[in-house]
Amino acid sequence: MTDIQTYAEVVDEAARTASAIPQFTSSGPLSVADAYAVQAASIERRLKRGEKLVGVKMGLTSRAKMKQVNVDEVVWGRLTDAMRLEEGASLSKRRFVHPRIEPELAFLLKAPLTGEVTAAEAMAAVAAIAPAMEIIDSRYQNFKFALPDVIADNSSSSGFVVGDWSSPTQDFSNLGLVMEVDGRPVEIGSTAAILGNPSRSLVAAARLAGAALGRLEAGWIILAGGATAAHSLKVGERVRLTMQNLGSVSIRVAE
Ligand code: 0L1
Ligand code: MG
């Protein structure tokens, strides 16, 4: 039987101390259900230290990433206030194991959301959308994991930054985007890479995370998932995402 609390402590300490750990699945099987229980218990430890739940992230939302780990279901993780960076802020690289950054679209909820909903019903709960970047930092050695490992590790989520909010009534299904490092484009793509339309990711968030948590709350941020490959962060870099119609958001990487 999986010892959920022991696994939760291991992955929480790895995140807290920025230390790489071996995959759980290399020492025995871990079911997806138990992996989500480990994620819940590890984030509960953070909440007991004073962090606040502020939303959820959706992951593996592009066909390329699903294929990479051989699954056809998206995953999700929890966002806490301590993970949020302000626009233009410096990220301290020593607080992470091997951080990467990826461009995303963020939804801000104005009403609770849960269960099986249509895209129209999901969008009726959205107050605003914004360009965003997620910092993913697998706590596993060499960024290598099986699906249950990554779920237990909060689906690699470690930080996020959100730009200015805009009206959600515009068409955001295929917005061009460019992620630059020190003014040099490193990733170019479109929001269409997020499940064909980011609203599908919001529907999946309601179905999966909403059901598991009871509901997604008004005021929460939902990160829809990476629109391109992720970029490995290096000290001194300035990373900026510019999204068609929605503006820019940036961070710097400090030691
Ligand atoms: O946000 C994501 O799509 C990442 C999910 C976990 C896989 C990874 O760390 O690349
Ligand atoms: Mg992501």
Side-chain angles (χ1 to χ4, degrees), residues 116-202:
E116 299 285 344
V117 290
T118 64
E121 286 165 343
M123 286 310 299
V126 173
I129 56 174
M133 292 188 288
E134 183 187 23
I135 292 107
I136 52 174
D137 185 32
S138 175
R139 266 52 68 151
Y140 301 110
Q141 289 156 358
N142 306 316
F143 229 109
K144 291 268 183 290
F145 43 73
L147 184 69
D149 296 307
V150 72
I151 290 170
D153 184 24
N154 201 25
S155 295
S156 298
S157 200
S158 314
F160 64 101
V161 58
V162 180
D164 288 342
W165 294 107
S166 294
S167 165
T169 57
Q170 61 191 293
D171 181 2
F172 54 81
S173 61
N174 186 14
L175 298 178
L177 60 93
V178 56
M179 193 165 73
E180 294 166 296
V181 174
D182 299 330
R184 180 177 52 91
V186 294
E187 294 292 341
I188 295 174
S190 159
T191 55
I194 305 167
L195 293 179
N197 183 334
S199 63
R200 294 197 183 117
S201 184
L202 186 62

Side-chain angles (χ1 to χ4, degrees), residues 2 7-8 10-12 14 21-40 42 60 69 71 75-77 137-141 143-157:
T2 304
Y7 278 31
V10 168
V11 76
D12 178 47
I21 54 172
Q23 297 174 41
F24 292 132
T25 55
S26 60
S27 57
L30 177 64
S31 71
V32 165
D34 280 353
Y36 275 113
V38 172
Q39 181 193 124
S42 80
L60 304 179
V69 288
V71 290
V75 296
W76 64 278
D137 185 32
S138 175
R139 266 52 68 151
Y140 301 110
Q141 289 156 358
F143 229 109
K144 291 268 183 290
F145 43 73
L147 184 69
D149 296 307
V150 72
I151 290 170
D153 184 24
N154 201 25
S155 295
S156 298
S157 200

